[in-house]
Amino acid sequence: MRVAVVTDSAAGFAPGWTGTGGIADGVQVVAMPVLVGDDILTGEHDDVTAPLMVALAAGSVVRTSRPSPGQFDRVYGRLADEGYDAVVSVHLSGLLSGTVEAARLAASRSIIPVEVIDTRTAGMAQGRAALAALTAARAGAGLQAAAAAAAMAARASALYFYVPSVEQLRRGGRITAAVGWLGTLLSVRVLLHVQGGRLVPLERMRSAARALQRLEELVEADVAGRSNGVDLTVHHFGNEEDADALAQRLESVVGAGRVSTAPCPSVLAAHAGLGVVAVTVSPRLP
């Protein structure tokens, strides 16, 4: 059985990873739209980063949207035409986006079986789940086994965020009134993580330096509590220098694991805002 793997651009693959010979070569990525004013941006990296940074810095209205079911129809249909027998479709938390529902609708009318996975996470925590499915499929796994590999990787992954301001999260409805204490002072920096598919506040800090230090401590504690190897990805948006420095420091805690950096997916950066740093902790793939 030939099993294909599909994900969405919230997976946060680094530039070049999905190209020929890249670590995610073979994963089909469905673009998630970012709306800046009347403009719809559907690419990643250079196509979106500059205009999104300008819009966020200017305080312009920035929104995101799910891909349409028709986009998934076309991807699943093309994969069937290419001779694939089944698809594992691995997506951003259904509590943060309607993407997984669009995928399920398309899956229900696909001519080949499609197993849709709600990872309940985002960024490279989601991306590593897609890679786990790809690794299993390349090893000859069937649809259910490849889907199970993705689900297990997602459950075993963690995602931690540092955001300099909660304003964008509030505007997008990702932070509710129940946690309004986060923004009682404009100078407060916030640490969050994904828990049960939602963004949940962890701590607030008075300075960016202390917030980044605490983010590092949280990641180190997570890694220390695991018995097997891990891979880390440090996401950034508008502060690549801080992310690179953090990634270098984390090299010492992962042993034989890998630490990579990647731009924050545009659909996440649109809500987290300029200056976000996120770290994903995932089980190391073979």
Side-chain angles (χ1 to χ4, degrees):
M1 173 177 280
R2 294 186 68 205
V3 178
V5 180
V6 174
T7 191
D8 56 70
S9 52
F13 293 129
W17 278 29
T18 55
T20 302
I23 190 172
D25 183 11
V27 177
Q28 309 297 306
V29 181
V30 176
M32 298 182 65
V34 175
L35 293 74
V36 177
D38 295 328
D39 296 327
I40 301 175
L41 309 176
T42 57
E44 275 296 312
H45 308 312
D46 293 343
D47 294 336
V48 176
T49 299
L52 181 55
M53 281 186 177
V54 170
L56 290 171
S60 302
V61 175
V62 175
R63 295 172 292 130
T64 59
S65 179
R66 72 176 192 178
S68 70
Q71 287 176 262
F72 289 105
D73 284 333
R74 290 187 288 275
V75 172
Y76 299 157
R78 175 172 53 79
L79 291 169
D81 290 342
E82 291 175 2
Y84 285 95
D85 302 299
V87 177
V88 179
S89 209
V90 182
H91 297 293
L92 170 65
S93 172
L95 295 176
L96 298 176
S97 167
T99 301
V100 73
E101 289 304 321
R104 285 174 177 153
L105 179 57
S108 70
R109 56 200 188 200
S110 171
I111 62 173
I112 58 175
V114 179
E115 190 72 25
V116 178
I117 304 296
D118 181 347
T119 64
R120 294 299 182 102
T121 188
M124 273 301 294
Q126 171 190 336
R128 296 285 179 190
L131 290 174
L134 181 67
T135 299
R138 284 177 171 169
L143 174 59
Q144 295 304 318
M152 289 175 62
R155 286 196 300 270
S157 294
L159 173 57
Y160 302 92
F161 278 92
Y162 153 65
V163 293
S165 168
V166 297
E167 184 58 30
Q168 279 298 121
L169 289 169
R170 279 179 163 172
R171 287 182 182 180
R174 267 59 181 184
I175 290 292
T176 67
V179 289
W181 62 269
L182 288 170
T184 54
L185 295 174
L186 292 177
S187 60
V188 166
R189 276 72 175 177
V190 182
L191 296 176
L192 309 101
H193 69 150
V194 173
Q195 184 179 65
R198 299 183 185 278
L199 277 178
V200 177
L202 281 172
E203 301 176 20
R204 54 184 181 178
M205 300 289 169
R206 293 289 183 146
S207 72
R210 176 57 186 143
L212 288 168
Q213 179 185 356
R214 183 61 181 142
L215 175 63
E216 183 177 348
E217 291 169 357
L218 289 169
V219 173
E220 288 180 350
D222 186 313
V223 173
R226 297 173 184 250
S227 57
N228 297 317
V230 298
D231 288 329
L232 309 181
T233 298
V234 182
H235 289 297
H236 55 84
F237 195 77
N239 53 350
E240 188 172 357
E241 186 174 323
D242 286 337
D244 286 343
L246 176 58
Q248 289 178 10
R249 294 194 299 272
L250 289 172
E251 290 278 1
S252 64
V253 304
V254 297
R258 295 178 290 267
V259 181
S260 58
T261 61
C264 189
S266 59
V267 293
L268 302 185
H271 295 290
L274 284 170
V276 59
V277 176
V279 182
T280 67
V281 185
S282 301
R284 188 178 183 193
L285 295 175

